Amino acid sequence: MAEPTETPQNSEPKIKVALITGITGQDGSYLTEFLLSKGYEIHGLIRRSSNFNTQRINHIYIDPHNANKARMKLHYADLTDASSLRRWIDTIAPDEVYNLAAQSHVAVSFEIPDYTADVVATGTLRLLEAVRSHIAETGRTHIKYYQAGSSEMFGSTPPPQAEDTPFHPRSPYAVAKCAAHWYTVNYREAYGIFACNGILFNHESPRRGENFVTRKITRAVGRIKIGLQSKLFLGNLQASRDWGFAGDYVEAMWMMLQQEKPDDYVVATEESHSVEEFLEAAFGYVGLNWRDHVVIDKRYFRPSEVDNLKGDASKAKKVLGWKPKVGFQQLVKMMVDEDVETAKREKVLVDAGYMDAQQQP
């Protein structure tokens, strides 16, 4: 169970309440599962969309009318709408706030830079201000805030990258994340808010979005293995990243907010692998040669590349007692296994005539 918050004498310990932005994303779904296992009550903020995008949390969703069992509730809000953020902060009165929402695709941020900055940078400021105003009016000074940072903030700064490594962002997304980082530091120092930055290096899983390179690769491996696809189009194969498992990293988020003092932490595996190495591991796992299927397409090269990200997580290990449980090879196999099964289900639809197998070359 979650640690009890302050309650009047002779009353039952109060269950901790967490507010999560970006709850429908990869990290949001894993964090929700983790906090539910700790006994938390979860409130997630979601954007209104014509299509439901809750597939990552459908397996843990319980209709709110089932009040005795529904410990996760969803509310409409947006980081671009300050009034909705303040309203839900006041209504929910959370003990912990996790800001995971973002336009998080680096390449896409070059296409929609204004929107990326509005959501990632200014959206963080709006949420921090909502928390500050709530604390000022209610006196609930025990509220703790987690800000999702990114290794992309380091950009062209050579590895290994630690908490005191200078930032040199190389994309609109990374620049916006730097602003969010410093907004969080500023509100911690100016207003005494318990606010932490988690500088998480790349973290993947079977729930990763299909337009991120790791999932794009494993998705293609599954389809190629089953016979639904023959080619995979990629950009820079020499880019190296520190890839970990998202399920491990959300535990570090929670650990940061359980400390006596707020601080900033790098979360990483401390290993770096190139996209080519990921290809070797993923295709090799199912007995395929990636060179027979991968085609380089210049459209996937970024205007400014980030060559190598490799984290130094010694502070998180020492202070939080955190360390990754899933290694690189295990992560790749986990993702490939899931996507092979997905491709098998897809093939059933193709064979029955419900889907066109030629949608991709």
Side-chain angles (χ1 to χ4, degrees):
M1 293 289 289
E3 295 178 7
T5 57
E6 297 176 13
T7 53
Q9 282 189 322
N10 302 320
S11 65
E12 290 294 324
K14 182 179 180 294
I15 294 174
K16 274 190 175 180
V17 177
L19 174 65
I20 303 174
T21 72
I23 192 171
T24 59
Q26 170 191 249
D27 294 3
S29 66
Y30 281 113
L31 179 62
T32 299
E33 289 175 340
F34 178 79
L35 293 180
L36 286 173
S37 75
K38 292 285 183 182
Y40 279 65
E41 176 183 316
I42 310 298
H43 293 264
L45 301 186
I46 62 173
R47 290 174 296 166
R48 192 269 167 188
S49 173
S50 297
N51 299 314
F52 284 112
N53 61 347
T54 56
Q55 60 270 20
R56 292 187 181 95
I57 56 174
N58 282 342
H59 64 291
I60 51 177
Y61 180 78
I62 297 174
D63 191 294
H65 294 95
N66 193 344
N68 293 329
K69 291 186 177 181
R71 290 193 292 119
M72 178 188 72
K73 300 176 177 64
L74 303 177
H75 314 280
Y76 285 113
D78 198 298
L79 287 180
T80 64
D81 183 352
S83 64
S84 68
L85 300 177
R86 178 61 196 277
R87 182 174 68 254
W88 285 120
I89 290 283
D90 288 343
T91 301
I92 296 165
D95 302 299
E96 296 174 2
V97 176
Y98 295 86
N99 185 27
L100 311 184
Q103 189 301 98
S104 59
H105 198 284
V106 174
V108 173
S109 75
F110 286 100
E111 303 293 329
I112 49 172
D114 287 9
Y115 175 75
T116 299
D118 192 22
V119 172
V120 178
T122 310
T124 296
L125 177 60
R126 293 184 187 105
L127 186 58
L128 282 165
E129 181 60 17
V131 171
R132 184 202 67 79
S133 298
H134 175 77
I135 291 173
E137 290 194 11
T138 65
R140 301 181 69 249
T141 57
H142 70 280
I143 295 178
K144 298 181 178 182
Y145 175 95
Y146 171 82
Q147 173 60 35
S150 170
S151 59
E152 290 288 332
M153 299 188 297
F154 295 117
S156 60
T157 304
Q161 294 105 353
E163 291 82 5
D164 56 356
T165 301
F167 296 146
H168 190 148
R170 300 269 286 171
S171 67
Y173 167 75
V175 172
K177 277 294 186 184
C178 286
H181 175 95
W182 289 116
Y183 280 139
T184 303
V185 171
N186 179 246
Y187 270 65
R188 180 171 69 213
E189 295 177 349
Y191 303 112
I193 295 174
F194 192 113
C196 298
N197 283 297
I199 307 173
L200 273 57
F201 279 64
N202 292 65
H203 42 291
E204 319 298 315
S205 76
R207 301 179 192 174
R208 188 59 140 155
E210 293 184 20
N211 58 347
F212 287 84
V213 68
T214 52
R215 185 74 197 290
K216 184 177 180 180
I217 290 170
T218 61
R219 187 81 174 89
V221 167
R223 288 177 55 85
I224 291 170
K225 182 66 176 177
I226 301 302
L228 297 174
Q229 186 174 330
S230 62
K231 298 297 181 183
L232 169 61
F233 298 90
L234 295 174
N236 181 14
L237 303 188
Q238 303 311 311
S240 293
R241 295 292 184 269
D242 186 328
W243 279 304
F245 173 52
D248 290 343
Y249 284 38
V250 299
E251 185 172 1
M253 300 177 187
W254 175 78
M255 286 178 167
M256 293 178 204
L257 299 194
Q258 311 315 307
Q259 305 305 305
E260 290 187 7
K261 296 180 179 179
D263 208 343
D264 306 325
Y265 299 88
V266 161
V267 180
T269 68
E270 301 184 328
E271 293 182 12
S272 186
H273 299 273
S274 67
V275 175
E276 185 173 325
E277 288 178 80
F278 197 100
L279 284 168
E280 290 273 9
F283 276 85
Y285 178 51
V286 296
L288 296 173
N289 186 339
W290 67 268
R291 291 176 177 82
D292 295 333
H293 303 281
V294 172
V295 178
I296 303 302
D297 188 334
K298 291 183 178 180
R299 80 181 71 181
Y300 295 121
F301 283 82
R302 299 171 186 172
S304 50
E305 291 281 350
V306 173
D307 296 325
N308 192 0
L309 296 174
K310 180 181 178 182
D312 175 1
S314 54
K315 180 179 176 181
K317 291 179 179 178
K318 181 180 179 181
V319 178
L320 304 179
W322 178 88
K323 62 179 181 179
K325 301 181 181 72
V326 177
F328 176 73
Q329 294 292 338
Q330 185 182 352
L331 173 64
V332 174
K333 291 176 181 178
M334 175 196 307
M335 295 177 68
V336 170
D337 284 341
E338 185 74 19
D339 279 327
V340 167
E341 291 304 310
T342 298
K344 288 179 180 177
R345 293 192 295 270
E346 191 176 345
K347 191 172 189 304
V348 172
L349 297 175
V350 170
D351 291 344
Y354 293 108
M355 183 180 293
D356 180 8
Q358 303 305 315
Q359 289 176 343
Q360 292 177 307

